[in-house]
Amino acid sequence: MGTVSLKLASGIVANISNTCVLPGEVGKVGLSFYNDRGLLDWNPQRLLEVRDGNSTEYPSSGNPYVSESEAFLHAVRTGDRSGILSDYADAYKTLKVTCAALESARKEVPVKL
């Protein structure tokens, strides 16, 4: 199992854990975000929002990889980039964080960006 802790510029600490040692179909895929306003809990089937004891569930609207590809192809064909929700600058930042997390795990020391 791997666990990475990220300390963000705001002081917030994010923990990311993963494993691939569980047998067969045993496991869970998802993200949970906790803050002073409540909880957002995502998995491939739905997004759950919990605030002040009230919860709202938003079911998945289909395969996100298909939607992503369709938005990209639409932008290439038409020049309309409105369906692109994360640009290359965001992708670059994500790559930097991912590479730093890998370096930190390999060296077993914090890496500052």
Side-chain angles (χ1 to χ4, degrees), residues 24-43:
E25 297 296 317
V26 176
K28 175 184 172 188
V29 174
L31 297 169
S32 297
F33 300 93
Y34 301 89
N35 64 34
D36 60 348
R37 295 173 48 203
L39 161 71
L40 290 174
D41 187 69
W42 173 88
N43 68 45

Side-chain angles (χ1 to χ4, degrees), residues 81-93:
R81 301 174 72 192
S82 64
I84 307 293
L85 304 180
S86 183
D87 60 16
Y88 284 113
D90 285 339
Y92 178 67
K93 292 175 190 174

Side-chain angles (χ1 to χ4, degrees), residues 3 11 17 21-22 33 37 40 42 54 56 71 80-81 87 96 102-103 107:
T3 300
S17 299
V21 297
L22 296 172
F33 300 93
R37 295 173 48 203
L40 290 174
W42 173 88
N54 297 314
T56 306
D80 174 13
R81 301 174 72 192
D87 60 16
K96 283 177 52 174
L102 179 60
E103 179 183 353
K107 294 182 177 179

Side-chain angles (χ1 to χ4, degrees), residues 3-15:
T3 300
V4 175
S5 292
L6 305 171
K7 184 174 182 184
L8 307 180
S10 65
I12 292 172
V13 176
N15 292 304

Side-chain angles (χ1 to χ4, degrees), residues 37-59:
R37 295 173 48 203
L39 161 71
L40 290 174
D41 187 69
W42 173 88
N43 68 45
Q45 289 76 41
R46 57 99 181 112
L47 171 67
L48 175 66
E49 178 182 28
V50 180
R51 295 179 191 265
D52 300 321
N54 297 314
S55 64
T56 306
E57 190 167 312
Y58 304 92

